[in-house]
Amino acid sequence: MTEIKKQIADALCTAAGGAIDAAELCAALEYPPSAELGDLAFPCFRLSKTMRKAPPAIAAELAEKFSCPAVGRVQVAGGYLNLFLDKEYLVRHVIACTLHADKPYGGSEDGKGKTVVLDYSSPNVAKPFHIGHLGTTVIGHSLKKLHAFAGWNCVGVNHLGDWGTQFGKLIVAYRKWGDREKVEAGEIDELVSLYVRFHAEAEKDPSLEDAARAEFTKLEAGDKDNLALWKWFIEISLREYQKTYDQLGITFDSYKGESFYYDKVPAVVEALREKGLLKIDDGASIVDLEPYGMPPCLILKNDGSSIYPSRDIAAAIYRKETYNFDKCIYVTSAGQSLHFAQWFKVVELMGYDWYDKLVHVPYGTVSIDGAKLATRTGNVVLLKDLFATAIEKARAIIEEKNPTLENKDEVAKQVGVGAIVFHYLSNGRIKDINFVMEDALSFDGNTGPYAQYTYARMRSILRRAEAPANGENPKVTSPEEVELAKVISRFPERVQAAIAEYEPSNITRYILDLCAAFNRFYHECPILSAEDADVRETRLALVTAASDVLGNALDLICMGKPEQI
Ligand code: ARG
């Protein structure tokens, strides 16, 4: 619709004698609440000041003078000018933009020459990779894909929580109760249970805490044995994360985590001191943020070691120097909003003029129905268990629905993981959600499996057509064709909204609109069996356009695209 809206805006500007600028007019165009009121509407009060007339008179005048090939008919409705698109024009436009264009529809060059760094997933090594990380992982990767689709140069960073006192604890626990083979075999779960055991034992014997601090200090000082253990713990953890990333089709451009920055913190401290921003409070170094209504930002602990916020500041400076980003996005739970607000402020106070290019994208909490998935490592639900359960259930459903399907395992993975991703991204990110596995996996509701099933249905029609559609001379005969074309034409706007709002749920909701329009079309309009050759050709072209757009939309939210279910 973006292109069509632009044309209409230009024509309306001409009709209004240039009383408003075309871009402003374009932004003012509305989608009316119901089809009787047109496909687009212009609220004429926008012009009453410059044209010195009442909105209804302006609407009448515009209706008189307006002419645009994309619009079949206009209607004056009070202060609104309602516009009805020319059906053939719309369908021809959609087919041209999808089938006959050299770049994917909805993609753009808006971000050409610009770089965005995206910091997401970023789990804490040797701690459980749990359902709370689902948000950062899929929102983050989806935002990366959306930016890439809009032409941005993207750098995805997994800012691993791979430094801190927990490693001292783990080293002590491993030396006391650990077993190399067991850790190798049990992978991250074994590390997590060592960590859990440390806390249990330290309750009885507080001297363990001192031992842990001492081991971490040795690690910071570069002790060989401790470094080797630390590296191994990370390796074990990464092996585990990788399985989940593979299931989601997620890759990163950098795994530089917190450990990479601890030796870059002294320079930050020095700069803060020079600017007179550093204060000592109870032995710790802080930046006072009281004038900004926030608690102080902790820079160094009282033992002089670096900490989460100071490592974040060092990381931001490093990323600016390394990538010269135009935006640096951090996706974390809303629980960290204050942390980001604080250190963003410190970066501003340090005088870095790029402080306003740092963006925190928060999301709400996730809970899950039933305690079935809770593990021996406590009350958390691990992401791998969540996926495994979903895949298993998807496998059973597929077995029942389509027993002869060839690549059942692959499809079960796509459907199971996709169901979770889709369910998660169905709501605005800031909303807290409760996960109901049965709902997520249903093929009937507004779910991932339903969207993938619709995609597979489109692909199956296209496989059965003996030649690809061309659709150069569309023949439009039913309202469902027009409705489908209309929904397809809105994709670029939804992509733009998803990027502007850092909100992948725009795409999820769009997918549901597209699937609904397609399924209505599918039920009302014979495609391959249409008698009239031009009608058949037009419908086939619309199926092609819809499957291209749906496929790209699924990609953008990290969902698999099964050819058959
Ligand atoms: N490791 C942190 C956690 O699990 C998230 C890191 C987010 N990124 C950052 N640059 N602070 O809570």
Side-chain angles (χ1 to χ4, degrees), residues 29 46 51 84 116 134 141 335-336 345-346 356 434:
L29 286 172
R46 296 263 181 173
M51 290 178 76
F84 296 81
V116 57
L134 182 63
H141 199 66
Q336 296 197 30
K345 193 70 191 175
V346 174
D356 58 349
N434 179 42

Side-chain angles (χ1 to χ4, degrees), residues 326-348:
D326 297 275
K327 260 197 304 196
C328 184
I329 294 173
Y330 299 83
V331 187
T332 77
S333 79
Q336 296 197 30
S337 295
L338 177 63
H339 161 74
F340 284 97
Q342 286 174 304
W343 76 259
F344 286 2
K345 193 70 191 175
V346 174
V347 169
E348 179 184 351

Side-chain angles (χ1 to χ4, degrees), residues 499-542:
I499 295 172
E501 299 161 12
Y502 303 107
E503 187 60 272
S505 65
N506 279 292
I507 303 300
T508 321
R509 279 184 277 118
Y510 175 78
I511 288 174
L512 293 176
D513 291 348
L514 181 57
C515 290
F518 177 81
N519 285 318
R520 270 194 300 272
F521 159 83
Y522 177 79
H523 286 114
E524 296 302 324
C525 306
I527 302 164
L528 297 174
S529 58
E531 275 169 24
D532 183 302
D534 289 337
V535 170
R536 181 181 185 279
E537 180 68 12
T538 306
R539 291 181 179 167
L540 206 49
L542 281 172

Side-chain angles (χ1 to χ4, degrees), residues 43 146 174 223 333 342 437 454:
L146 281 158
Y174 175 72
D223 177 87
S333 79
Q342 286 174 304
M437 188 68 98
T454 306

